Amino acid sequence: MSEPGSRDRHRDPTCVFCRIVAGELPSTVVHADDELIAIRDIAPRAPTHILILTRDHIVSAADLTAADGPLLGNVFATAATLARSEGIADRGYRVVTNVGEWGGQTVDHLHFHLMGGRSFTWPPG
Ligand code: 5GP
Ligand code: ZN
């Protein structure tokens, strides 16, 4: 098991998102580069609900370090590009990552929800 901040980011063959990244499970891919893929959420909670996944198996944002700055820049730039192509940029959207049980994380592989097409309340429930 990886420690927080560990560089040990190998694929986990039991991880559903690692299997999606590897193409072993189907998904609707809307973006792919050497660090990330973005797919449509299987159970969308908004008119646009995209998941931006790291290709590496990173358990959550709790495992990120300052060295991941470029990776995170790519995440948010990708989110902004997708928001424009989805037509949700003008009215605004939400980018969120859930961490751990109380944070609402259900898949232990780092991902960012890009959600838009409706308004959202704050704070989240
Ligand atoms: P979390 O609850 O960890 O923040 O977000 C996990 C998200 O992954 C949920 O919104 C859930 O609907 C989505 N999800 C879970 N399994 C799959 C899958 O096999 N394919 C896709 N496209 N989304 C999934
Ligand atoms: Zn994984």
Side-chain angles (χ1 to χ4, degrees):
M1 186 168 149
S2 305
E3 294 301 317
S6 165
R7 300 293 93 188
D8 181 17
R9 292 173 168 184
H10 301 303
R11 176 171 180 271
D12 176 347
T14 69
C15 169
V16 63
F17 283 177
C18 281
R19 297 192 66 198
I20 286 173
V21 167
E24 295 171 3
L25 293 176
S27 66
T28 302
V29 177
V30 294
H31 169 85
D33 63 39
D34 60 351
E35 293 180 312
L36 307 172
I37 73 165
I39 63 173
R40 297 209 183 271
D41 197 291
I42 201 168
R45 307 305 211 274
T48 292
H49 189 169
I50 289 169
L51 302 174
I52 300 171
L53 320 180
T54 54
R55 286 189 181 273
D56 285 345
H57 181 81
I58 300 168
V59 172
S60 80
D63 294 293
L64 296 169
T65 72
D68 294 307
L71 174 68
L72 291 174
N74 190 6
V75 166
F76 284 94
T78 297
T81 299
L82 288 170
R84 284 192 292 275
S85 62
E86 292 286 314
I88 61 172
D90 288 349
R91 299 208 68 180
Y93 55 91
R94 189 166 286 181
V95 180
V96 65
T97 189
N98 298 322
V99 178
E101 182 187 356
W102 278 26
Q105 185 176 8
T106 59
V107 179
D108 289 341
H109 178 129
L110 181 63
H111 55 282
F112 295 77
H113 299 256
L114 167 63
M115 305 175 78
R118 65 172 174 86
S119 65
F120 299 98
T121 58
W122 189 262

